[in-house]
């Protein structure tokens, strides 16, 4: 089965999930809604055949949930538990937003994204910059991995224990490669007519399919139920 | 550069440096979950570390709007990552003011760049907004979310409406210090290599 979602649906999903993430769940029912909401992007990841990341997210999120519910409480103290609480806090609280964002970044092609932005009349400046940001996180990770390998090879991973040096040794090469990649990227983009005066056309015709509408309705419902139960229920 | 309109290349530059800045912010942010006092020390860490990419960014800024767009992007990304919308106006305001200050120095004056970066750093304080504005509900939220009472007490001792002024000032001061250091680093590495 293949479901190609419209980028606008994905953006809407991000919006809803971010809003729900802001409101903490207080009752078991709200927790249920939240977990259900988190499952949707994970299932979508499975459908897109991104098994590795889907399973990783599932394990991380599940583990944090179990720990939070069964082992941690207001009274827990001690350094190890403090770190554990921190870990579970960040995962349980922000993981849904991160999974959704990850799903959208991983499955949206840049041209789809740009054409969706054009359709929503987002100013070019914001759209282009946002597209670059989206594309760039994996690049930074890749470049950073290469830098770390190089540092390991020369045995200077810890910069002699000097915090300033540790930052400098990593940051400077990273910036060098990012600036270069940026130059290449702009050359490539300008060749494809980005920043011209005419309206750009897109090879991809975006249309809202049945799945998009269903998902949008689903997420609207999730948001409505959550707000209603938290503030009026 | 006679045209004052932003071109595709400028947008791409903005995007790249925003991504780097977010990564810096995120890595520092991870540490905050160890102890709440580290959350308060973001105002020292992020301006200092973020200064290096930002100073390189400032050398590439020549037109009005680039810093503003960056702040808008940061606001959007902060929202998506679950930091809330309360801080968004502050982030964008800091960006616009920083842009204006840098513009008044024609994006070349070093003193104006320092000031501008100091102001820009105030966006970090936007992350504290939920803690201050909605203190009570935020506390119960944290407790429900699985944080210990100890963490909460420390957090609210470090960040409340009295300390926010100090935090804002610290942000600005360390932004300025960071700018000086960052400029030195940029000079040491990038100007020699001829990249700037």
């Amino acid at each position: 089965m293949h479901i190609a979602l419209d980028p606008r649906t994905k953006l809407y999903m991000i919006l809803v999930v971010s809003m729900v993430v802001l409101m903490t769940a207080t009752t078991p029912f709200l927790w249920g809604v939240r977990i259900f909401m988190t499952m949707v992007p994970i299932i979508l990841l499975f459908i897109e055949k991104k098994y590795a990341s889907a399973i990783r997210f599932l394990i991380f999120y599940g583990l944090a949930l179990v720990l939070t519910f069964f082992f941690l409480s207001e009274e827990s103290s001690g350094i190890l538990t403090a770190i554990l609480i921190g870990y579970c806090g960040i995962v349980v609280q922000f993981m849904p937003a991160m999974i959704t964002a990850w799903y959208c970044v991983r499955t949206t092609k840049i041209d789809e994204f740009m054409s969706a932005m054009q359709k929503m009349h987002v100013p070019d400046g914001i759209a282009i910059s946002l597209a670059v940001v989206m594309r760039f996180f994996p690049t930074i990770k890749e470049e950073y991995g290469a830098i770390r390998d190089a540092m390991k090879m020369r045995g200077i991973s810890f910069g002699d224990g000097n915090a300033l040096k540790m930052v400098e040794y990593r940051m400077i090469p990273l910036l060098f490669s990012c600036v270069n990649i940026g130059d290449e990227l702009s050359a490539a983009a300008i060749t494809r007519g980005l920043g011209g005066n005419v309206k750009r056309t897109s090879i991809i015709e975006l249309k809202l399919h049945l799945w998009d509408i269903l998902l949008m309705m689903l997420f609207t419902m999730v948001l409505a139920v959550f707000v209603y139960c938290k503030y009026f229920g | 550069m006679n045209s004052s309109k932003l071109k595709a290349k400028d947008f791409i530059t903005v995007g790249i440096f925003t991504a780097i800045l977010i990564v810096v912010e995120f890595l520092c942010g991870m540490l905050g979950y160890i102890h709440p006092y580290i959350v308060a020390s973001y105002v020292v860490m992020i301006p200092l570390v973020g200064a290096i990419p930002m100073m390189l960014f400032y050398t590439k800024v020549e037109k009005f709007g680039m810093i503003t767009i960056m702040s808008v992007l940061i606001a959007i990304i902060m929202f998506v990552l679950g930091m809330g919308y309360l801080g968004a106006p502050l982030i964008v305001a800091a960006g616009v003011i920083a842009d204006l200050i840098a513009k008044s120095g024609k994006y070349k004056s070093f003193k104006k760049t320092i000031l501008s970066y100091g102001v820009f750093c105030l966006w970090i304080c936007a992350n504290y907004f939920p803690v201050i504005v909605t203190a009570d509900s935020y506390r119960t939220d944290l407790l429900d979310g699985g944080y210990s009472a100890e963490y909460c007490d420390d957090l609210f001792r470090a960040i409340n409406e009295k300390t926010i002024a100090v935090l804002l000032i610290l942000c600005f001061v360390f932004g300025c210090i960071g700018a000086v250091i960052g400029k030195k680093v940029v000079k040491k590495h990038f100007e020699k290599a001829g990249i700037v």
Side-chain angles (χ1 to χ4, degrees), chain A residues 23 62 74 88 93 116 123 140 142 146-147 154 174 183 199 231:
Chain A
M23 305 175 274
E74 284 178 36
C88 292
Q93 190 71 19
I140 290 181
E142 226 170 78
I147 290 164
R154 295 187 50 192
L174 190 66
D183 286 344
K199 192 171 181 300
Y231 294 104

Side-chain angles (χ1 to χ4, degrees), chain B residues 37-94:
Chain B
Y37 288 151
I38 299 179
V39 175
S41 75
Y42 288 169
V43 293
V44 177
M45 258 188 320
I46 300 175
L48 288 183
V49 180
I52 302 171
M54 280 306 283
M55 283 304 113
L56 189 61
F57 176 62
Y58 270 100
T59 62
K60 293 185 172 290
V61 174
E62 277 154 348
K63 298 164 200 164
F64 182 75
M66 288 174 80
I67 304 169
T68 312
I69 292 177
M70 190 176 222
S71 64
V72 173
L73 289 184
I74 290 177
I76 294 173
I77 293 167
M78 284 293 119
F79 174 76
V80 169
L81 291 180
M83 300 294 169
Y85 45 84
L86 284 167
L90 179 71
I91 297 176
V92 177

